[in-house]
Amino acid sequence: MHIPFDNSYAALPDAFFTRLNPTPVKAPDLLAFNADLAREIGFDALPADQYADIFAGNVLPQGAAPLAQLYAGHQFGNWNPQLGDGRAILLGETLGRDGKRRDIQLKGSGPTPYSRMGDGRAWLGPVLREYVVSEAMHALGIPTTRALAAVTTGEDIWREQGALPGAVLTRVASSHLRVGTFQVFAHRGEVDHLKTLTAYAIQRHYPDANGPMDLLRAVAAAQADLVAQWMSVGFIHGVMNTDNCAISGETIDYGPCAFMDGFHQGRVFSSIDQQGRYAYGNQPNIAVWNVAQLATALIQQMDDKDAAIEEATEIVHAMPALLETAWLQRFAAKIGIRTPQEGDLDLIQSLLTLMQDTGADFTNTFRSLGTPAARDQFTDRAAFDAWAAPWTARLASEPDPNATMAAANPAIIPRNHRIEAMIEAAVAGDMAPFARLTQALATPFEITDGDLQRPPTETEIVPATFCGT
Ligand code: AMP
Ligand code: MG
């Protein structure tokens, strides 16, 4: 019955959060439970008949210290001085069998002092989207928060679409510290809290970092690597606000996210991203922008501001090169090259241009490289052949390019039309598509369910995702 809670955030100053319990719901029903993850984090000691109540927030597990975290952030570039967990409650942290500390958070668990106009709730659609996509990201080897459980609440909640089934997601994260957590104290001039937070973040995530500027360097490196990984699987986060930018370097907040089908640098899914700020190809720029906001916040605690500004500027200016290196490494692997050389960047870019010009499917094109099926991905086959000739010559000097490609190019990604269809079925009470997706996406480099490789037909395309979460 014992869950190994070890709550360090709750021991920080009161200004960091508001203590409160989740708001109980009418009729909790367990829809999904991640038994493997539960084992990893020591949550399997719970009796199964209590899962629904616990993951709905109706029953608090022993040792929990529930609270809503305070943070601020830039949303679509606009400063918002106070955000915070408006519909999430941190139950506490566990120390897993692997010794790792993880946050256990309920999302959709009722109003908090940070809810502003919101109802503190989530509906089933975004809960299952986050469950499926975050677990898919994990299986792809990309740093991410995880999904432990999803429950329905038995209560209707109201969104633009009308009445929808309420749900709660249990999210597991290496922490929920964000750029926005630093921004809130920096903006208020609460330097002591900023220092406390900085020390806490260093201890929790980057114990080798020596002071705030070293923390900045570590976060810049982690974010650069993360975004390069997103790019390499065609992932579009959709809402890279500074409050959704985790210090740990994990992907967090799967609101309007999506994977692209046909390749385009300008692809946007989020219905509210009218300017394309968070378009696929703009994600590296935004990651740098977010890290620059972290720099601005961290500097507020430095005694010698001029020196700090100089150092922080250097770190932020170095980030595009980190991104380019990480990006080149990932994309080189996608075309079978382990150690990129002069000329490889051109090779990758000319393939991407060709894909964009002909609307080739991102995932299937890379997955089929080296097989006869590759040229079928292109409407202009002669153009593909012209690209493939120097590429084939280049691969002659590579050790086992097929193995490199097989490890870099997933066969199955959570395509947006499958996610939407899964949600529609779940709302109608059919969880079979959810089970099918989670199962196939657990081993995305293996073709266990070939039909899930198929891009959407003209009528199946789901071009937009909604933030109305
Ligand atoms: P997000 O775009 O999901 O990262 O959320 C941005 C901010 O809005 C966070 O402070 C959330 O807690 C808050 N928020 C989003 N949805 C709701 C809701 N239904 N009720 C209360 N707060 C919400
Ligand atoms: Mg958020």
Side-chain angles (χ1 to χ4, degrees), residues 264-303:
H264 199 291
Q265 293 283 3
R267 183 78 74 222
V268 174
F269 282 88
S270 169
S271 61
I272 59 167
D273 191 3
Q274 303 289 346
Q275 314 290 323
R277 179 180 169 89
Y278 301 138
Y280 172 79
N282 207 32
Q283 295 183 118
N285 293 334
I286 295 294
V288 175
W289 195 88
N290 286 346
V291 169
Q293 305 318 307
L294 177 63
T296 305
L298 286 171
I299 286 167
Q300 308 306 313
Q301 68 191 294
M302 306 301 279
D303 294 329

Side-chain angles (χ1 to χ4, degrees), residues 29 31-32 123-129 132 150 152 164-167 418-435 437:
D29 189 18
L31 288 191
W123 77 272
L124 183 57
V127 164
L128 294 183
R129 175 183 289 273
V132 170
T152 44
L164 294 161
R418 297 289 189 174
I419 298 277
E420 291 291 337
M422 173 276 290
I423 291 170
E424 213 172 290
V427 169
D430 175 12
M431 290 299 286
F434 171 87
L437 275 182

Side-chain angles (χ1 to χ4, degrees), residues 33-268:
F33 179 67
N34 190 339
D36 289 340
L37 179 61
R39 240 186 321 277
E40 244 176 84
I41 67 176
F43 241 83
D44 51 337
L46 282 180
D49 62 358
Q50 282 189 25
Y51 288 164
D53 280 336
I54 285 173
F55 298 125
N58 283 22
V59 169
L60 279 176
Q62 208 187 345
L67 58 86
Q69 293 180 323
L70 170 74
Y71 52 87
H74 282 92
Q75 300 181 302
F76 290 90
N78 302 309
W79 173 244
N80 193 327
Q82 200 199 288
L83 293 162
D85 289 333
R87 50 151 168 185
I89 299 278
L90 178 67
L91 289 181
E93 299 140 41
T94 62
L95 291 172
R97 301 219 153 94
D98 51 8
K100 282 194 199 149
R101 176 179 297 279
R102 293 182 180 85
D103 277 7
I104 313 295
Q105 190 202 61
L106 302 183
K107 189 170 168 186
S109 48
T112 78
Y114 314 115
S115 297
R116 294 171 295 158
M117 307 298 280
D119 59 4
R121 293 296 182 189
W123 77 272
L124 183 57
V127 164
L128 294 183
R129 175 183 289 273
E130 175 156 349
Y131 194 115
V132 170
V133 181
S134 66
E135 285 303 301
M137 290 290 263
H138 173 73
L140 286 164
I142 299 177
T144 178
T145 62
R146 306 280 311 267
L148 180 62
V151 297
T152 44
T153 61
E155 295 173 3
D156 278 348
I157 61 167
W158 291 86
R159 294 290 181 265
E160 271 166 46
Q161 305 94 308
L164 294 161
V168 180
L169 177 78
T170 304
R171 174 158 80 179
V172 176
S174 72
S175 86
H176 285 85
L177 299 176
R178 318 134 191 274
V179 170
T181 321
F182 291 82
Q183 286 182 294
V184 73
F185 297 126
H187 181 75
R188 293 178 178 182
E190 294 175 352
V191 172
D192 285 350
H193 290 330
L194 185 61
K195 286 182 176 171
T196 301
L197 177 65
T198 302
Y200 178 81
I202 288 174
Q203 191 191 19
R204 189 156 173 184
H205 293 296
Y206 305 103
D208 296 334
N210 181 18
M213 292 301 110
D214 233 22
L215 172 64
L216 180 65
R217 204 172 275 113
V219 175
Q223 283 292 324
D225 208 34
L226 177 66
V227 172
Q229 292 188 69
W230 290 354
M231 303 296 277
S232 77
V233 294
F235 179 75
I236 302 163
H237 181 280
V239 59
M240 291 175 71
N241 295 336
T242 58
D243 53 303
N244 294 335
C245 178
I247 297 303
S248 64
E250 288 180 344
T251 312
I252 188 168
D253 264 7
Y254 290 84
C257 70
F259 283 73
M260 343 183 239
D261 300 300
F263 177 73
H264 199 291
Q265 293 283 3
R267 183 78 74 222
V268 174

Side-chain angles (χ1 to χ4, degrees), residues 219-433:
V219 175
Q223 283 292 324
D225 208 34
L226 177 66
V227 172
Q229 292 188 69
W230 290 354
M231 303 296 277
S232 77
V233 294
F235 179 75
I236 302 163
H237 181 280
V239 59
M240 291 175 71
N241 295 336
T242 58
D243 53 303
N244 294 335
C245 178
I247 297 303
S248 64
E250 288 180 344
T251 312
I252 188 168
D253 264 7
Y254 290 84
C257 70
F259 283 73
M260 343 183 239
D261 300 300
F263 177 73
H264 199 291
Q265 293 283 3
R267 183 78 74 222
V268 174
F269 282 88
S270 169
S271 61
I272 59 167
D273 191 3
Q274 303 289 346
Q275 314 290 323
R277 179 180 169 89
Y278 301 138
Y280 172 79
N282 207 32
Q283 295 183 118
N285 293 334
I286 295 294
V288 175
W289 195 88
N290 286 346
V291 169
Q293 305 318 307
L294 177 63
T296 305
L298 286 171
I299 286 167
Q300 308 306 313
Q301 68 191 294
M302 306 301 279
D303 294 329
D304 184 346
K305 295 250 179 345
D306 289 342
I309 289 170
E310 200 174 311
E311 191 175 2
T313 303
E314 215 171 276
I315 293 166
V316 173
H317 283 176
M319 199 175 154
L322 288 183
L323 267 155
E324 276 158 34
T325 305
W327 184 95
L328 179 60
Q329 192 73 45
R330 300 274 170 193
F331 274 81
K334 291 181 79 66
I335 64 168
I337 295 169
R338 229 168 267 183
T339 317
Q341 295 169 3
E342 179 103 33
D344 291 342
L345 180 62
D346 284 347
L347 205 51
I348 297 163
Q349 256 152 4
S350 54
L351 177 62
L352 290 174
T353 303
L354 194 59
M355 288 168 65
Q356 176 155 323
D357 290 347
T358 63
D361 186 82
F362 183 81
T363 304
N364 291 354
T365 297
F366 282 107
R367 180 70 184 192
S368 63
L369 283 181
T371 77
R375 61 199 304 273
D376 297 340
Q377 302 292 329
F378 295 85
T379 46
D380 186 347
R381 288 177 192 178
F384 175 74
D385 293 340
W387 177 82
W391 171 63
T392 309
R394 169 69 181 85
L395 289 193
S397 57
E398 275 294 316
D400 208 351
N402 285 329
T404 305
M405 287 192 283
N409 296 324
I412 299 176
I413 47 131
R415 291 184 185 270
N416 209 29
H417 67 297
R418 297 289 189 174
I419 298 277
E420 291 291 337
M422 173 276 290
I423 291 170
E424 213 172 290
V427 169
D430 175 12
M431 290 299 286

